[in-house]
Amino acid sequence: MTRNELLAPAAIVLTVVAVLLFGPYAVSVDGYPQWITRGTTVADLVTQHRVRAFPGDLHDVAGGLIMPREGGPQLVTVNGSAASSGTVIRFGAVVVSERGRDSVEPTVAVTVETTPTLQFRGHGPVESLEASGTPGITKVVRGAVSGIVLERVVVTPAVPVTVRREPAWPGRKRVALTFDDGPWPGQTERVVAELKDAGARATFFMVGYLATRNAGIARDVAAAGMEIGAHSQSHKLLKHASPAVIRSEISEGIASVRRATGRRPVFYRPAGGSVNAYVFLEAKRENVRVVIWTVDPRDWSRPGTRAIARRVLDNIRPGSVVLMHDGGGNRSQTIAALKLVLHGLKARGYEMVTLSQLYSPPPAKP
Ligand SMILES: [Zn+2]
């Protein structure tokens, strides 16, 4: 025998011993034999997808399914005992997996500032801030994944913004006609001409960007003895707008009208009558009084000249504030109705004045 012939059997024996000591060996995983390498753990079996069961599902805080198989990990037993992810699988082990437990998303708690609510006192179309109120603080607990709100706890209640509504100075047959959404070339001039013919004055709530664009008309309206009011910069509805948008709509609207006419408005009418607490806080800051209306003939819906006139004349009372439109679309019906309205009001003994006249002298405090 040569030296090599002696070494060959020894190499075979060593290899067999090495395989027995360090090589892969058989275990049972979920009823199937599998070869695993020494040192394989429960976590390895799971990540190598060698167990049959899946993780549990992830649910939202309301019990709905958010993500399947993103819940708790598979429950694994080794030789009948619960195993952890780091448990090493020994030779001949019996591994059984079970579906993991469903889990619920984590929750997060945040504190949010709540918009002050609005509270009105009194009656009348002119609305002035009486008390500023304060925002409230609310703790909100919600699902970190779904955002579903689980709980709301008021930490500090909001103090409502209080707005005082005022009627016109009583006892005189005076009304204020108001025209919104101009200046509108070809229409505003005709409204002013009708008013002048009747010896009437009125108030024009101008949209800021239109006053800038039609500054010549805006100036003529003011020069004709009409009162100029502000109607926001771009006619955005403000009820759900952010405080920053509310501030710019009101302040830019006032500035635009002032630049165009040379007069600073003292009345502000929110576009669409759409308000929230911040609108009144901002109006106070800008030193304008908020004014809505008491008579709305819905002239913008073009119900017909006679319908517009009848709706005004049937509802008019001393101190009325009448809402009409010289801009925002075709207002030929409004302009035609205005002649009937002015005639009818005169026949009933009314004087048509500006809002400042109607509210001057100021009403006594209740
Ligand atoms: Zn409007």
Short mmCIF file of all heavy atoms in Angstrom, two decimals, residues 179-182 205 207 231-232 235 237 269-273 293 323-325 327-328, ligand 1:
data_model
loop_
_atom_site.label_atom_id
_atom_site.label_comp_id
_atom_site.label_asym_id
_atom_site.label_seq_id
_atom_site.Cartn_x
_atom_site.Cartn_y
_atom_site.Cartn_z
N PHE A 179 -75.58 96.79 -2.92
CA PHE A 179 -75.26 96.10 -4.18
C PHE A 179 -73.90 95.43 -4.06
O PHE A 179 -72.90 96.09 -3.75
CB PHE A 179 -75.28 97.10 -5.34
CG PHE A 179 -76.64 97.69 -5.56
CD1 PHE A 179 -77.02 98.87 -4.90
CD2 PHE A 179 -77.57 97.05 -6.38
CE1 PHE A 179 -78.29 99.40 -5.07
CE2 PHE A 179 -78.85 97.58 -6.55
CZ PHE A 179 -79.21 98.76 -5.89
N ASP A 180 -73.88 94.12 -4.31
CA ASP A 180 -72.66 93.33 -4.13
C ASP A 180 -72.03 92.91 -5.46
O ASP A 180 -72.68 92.86 -6.50
CB ASP A 180 -72.99 92.03 -3.36
CG ASP A 180 -73.28 92.29 -1.89
OD1 ASP A 180 -73.45 93.47 -1.51
OD2 ASP A 180 -73.35 91.32 -1.13
N ASP A 181 -70.77 92.54 -5.36
CA ASP A 181 -70.01 91.82 -6.40
C ASP A 181 -69.54 92.68 -7.57
O ASP A 181 -69.10 92.15 -8.59
CB ASP A 181 -70.79 90.60 -6.94
CG ASP A 181 -71.11 89.58 -5.85
OD1 ASP A 181 -70.56 89.72 -4.75
OD2 ASP A 181 -71.92 88.68 -6.11
N GLY A 182 -69.62 94.00 -7.44
CA GLY A 182 -69.06 94.87 -8.46
C GLY A 182 -67.67 95.31 -8.04
O GLY A 182 -67.12 94.76 -7.09
N PHE A 205 -70.93 96.98 -2.04
CA PHE A 205 -69.92 96.09 -1.48
C PHE A 205 -69.09 95.54 -2.62
O PHE A 205 -69.50 94.63 -3.34
CB PHE A 205 -70.57 94.98 -0.66
CG PHE A 205 -71.07 95.48 0.66
CD1 PHE A 205 -72.41 95.82 0.83
CD2 PHE A 205 -70.19 95.65 1.73
CE1 PHE A 205 -72.85 96.31 2.06
CE2 PHE A 205 -70.64 96.14 2.94
CZ PHE A 205 -71.97 96.48 3.10
N VAL A 207 -65.87 93.84 -4.59
CA VAL A 207 -64.86 92.78 -4.49
C VAL A 207 -63.51 93.42 -4.78
O VAL A 207 -63.37 94.17 -5.76
CB VAL A 207 -65.17 91.65 -5.49
CG1 VAL A 207 -64.08 90.57 -5.44
CG2 VAL A 207 -66.54 91.03 -5.22
N HIS A 231 -66.00 93.67 0.28
CA HIS A 231 -66.67 92.38 0.09
C HIS A 231 -65.63 91.28 -0.16
O HIS A 231 -65.85 90.40 -0.97
CB HIS A 231 -67.64 92.51 -1.10
CG HIS A 231 -68.63 91.39 -1.22
ND1 HIS A 231 -69.27 90.83 -0.15
CD2 HIS A 231 -69.11 90.73 -2.31
CE1 HIS A 231 -70.10 89.87 -0.58
NE2 HIS A 231 -70.01 89.78 -1.88
N SER A 232 -64.49 91.40 0.53
CA SER A 232 -63.34 90.48 0.43
C SER A 232 -62.55 90.70 -0.86
O SER A 232 -63.04 91.33 -1.79
CB SER A 232 -63.75 89.00 0.55
OG SER A 232 -64.19 88.49 -0.68
N HIS A 235 -63.66 87.13 -3.20
CA HIS A 235 -64.98 86.50 -3.02
C HIS A 235 -64.89 85.05 -2.56
O HIS A 235 -65.76 84.22 -2.84
CB HIS A 235 -65.83 86.60 -4.31
CG HIS A 235 -67.30 86.67 -4.00
ND1 HIS A 235 -68.10 85.55 -3.92
CD2 HIS A 235 -68.12 87.71 -3.75
CE1 HIS A 235 -69.34 85.91 -3.63
NE2 HIS A 235 -69.38 87.22 -3.52
N LEU A 237 -65.35 82.04 0.01
CA LEU A 237 -66.22 81.77 1.15
C LEU A 237 -65.31 81.41 2.33
O LEU A 237 -64.40 80.61 2.20
CB LEU A 237 -67.18 80.63 0.83
CG LEU A 237 -68.05 80.87 -0.41
CD1 LEU A 237 -69.06 79.73 -0.59
CD2 LEU A 237 -68.80 82.21 -0.32
N ARG A 269 -68.92 93.09 4.13
CA ARG A 269 -69.90 92.02 3.98
C ARG A 269 -69.18 90.75 3.53
O ARG A 269 -68.56 90.74 2.48
CB ARG A 269 -70.99 92.38 2.97
CG ARG A 269 -71.95 91.23 2.69
CD ARG A 269 -73.13 91.66 1.83
NE ARG A 269 -74.10 92.40 2.61
CZ ARG A 269 -75.00 93.23 2.08
NH1 ARG A 269 -75.03 93.43 0.78
NH2 ARG A 269 -75.87 93.84 2.85
N PRO A 270 -69.26 89.69 4.34
CA PRO A 270 -68.58 88.45 3.95
C PRO A 270 -69.21 87.86 2.69
O PRO A 270 -70.44 87.88 2.55
CB PRO A 270 -68.80 87.52 5.16
CG PRO A 270 -69.88 88.14 5.97
CD PRO A 270 -69.96 89.59 5.63
N ALA A 271 -68.38 87.38 1.79
CA ALA A 271 -68.87 86.77 0.55
C ALA A 271 -69.79 85.60 0.90
O ALA A 271 -69.45 84.77 1.73
CB ALA A 271 -67.71 86.28 -0.30
N GLY A 272 -70.96 85.60 0.29
CA GLY A 272 -71.92 84.52 0.53
C GLY A 272 -72.47 84.50 1.95
O GLY A 272 -73.14 83.55 2.34
N GLY A 273 -72.17 85.54 2.75
CA GLY A 273 -72.61 85.54 4.15
C GLY A 273 -71.90 84.44 4.95
O GLY A 273 -72.35 84.07 6.03
N TRP A 293 -77.87 91.17 5.77
CA TRP A 293 -79.03 91.79 5.13
C TRP A 293 -80.29 91.31 5.84
O TRP A 293 -80.25 90.36 6.63
CB TRP A 293 -79.10 91.40 3.64
CG TRP A 293 -79.02 89.91 3.44
CD1 TRP A 293 -80.05 89.01 3.52
CD2 TRP A 293 -77.84 89.13 3.21
NE1 TRP A 293 -79.58 87.75 3.33
CE2 TRP A 293 -78.25 87.79 3.14
CE3 TRP A 293 -76.49 89.45 3.04
CZ2 TRP A 293 -77.33 86.74 2.92
CZ3 TRP A 293 -75.59 88.41 2.82
CH2 TRP A 293 -76.01 87.09 2.75
N LEU A 323 -80.44 93.21 -0.02
CA LEU A 323 -79.30 92.64 -0.75
C LEU A 323 -79.64 92.51 -2.24
O LEU A 323 -80.59 91.83 -2.61
CB LEU A 323 -78.98 91.25 -0.19
CG LEU A 323 -77.96 90.41 -0.99
CD1 LEU A 323 -76.59 91.06 -0.98
CD2 LEU A 323 -77.90 88.99 -0.44
N MET A 324 -78.86 93.19 -3.07
CA MET A 324 -78.98 93.01 -4.52
C MET A 324 -77.57 92.96 -5.12
O MET A 324 -76.58 93.09 -4.40
CB MET A 324 -79.81 94.15 -5.13
CG MET A 324 -81.30 94.01 -4.79
SD MET A 324 -82.37 95.21 -5.59
CE MET A 324 -82.08 96.63 -4.57
N HIS A 325 -77.48 92.73 -6.40
CA HIS A 325 -76.17 92.54 -7.04
C HIS A 325 -76.04 93.38 -8.31
O HIS A 325 -76.90 93.32 -9.18
CB HIS A 325 -75.97 91.06 -7.38
CG HIS A 325 -75.95 90.17 -6.18
ND1 HIS A 325 -77.11 89.75 -5.56
CD2 HIS A 325 -74.92 89.66 -5.45
CE1 HIS A 325 -76.78 89.00 -4.51
NE2 HIS A 325 -75.47 88.93 -4.43
N GLY A 327 -72.93 93.07 -9.80
CA GLY A 327 -71.87 92.32 -10.49
C GLY A 327 -72.05 90.82 -10.30
O GLY A 327 -73.06 90.36 -9.76
N GLY A 328 -71.07 90.08 -10.79
CA GLY A 328 -71.08 88.62 -10.64
C GLY A 328 -71.83 87.89 -11.73
O GLY A 328 -71.98 86.68 -11.67
ZN ZN B 1 -71.05 88.42 -3.12
#
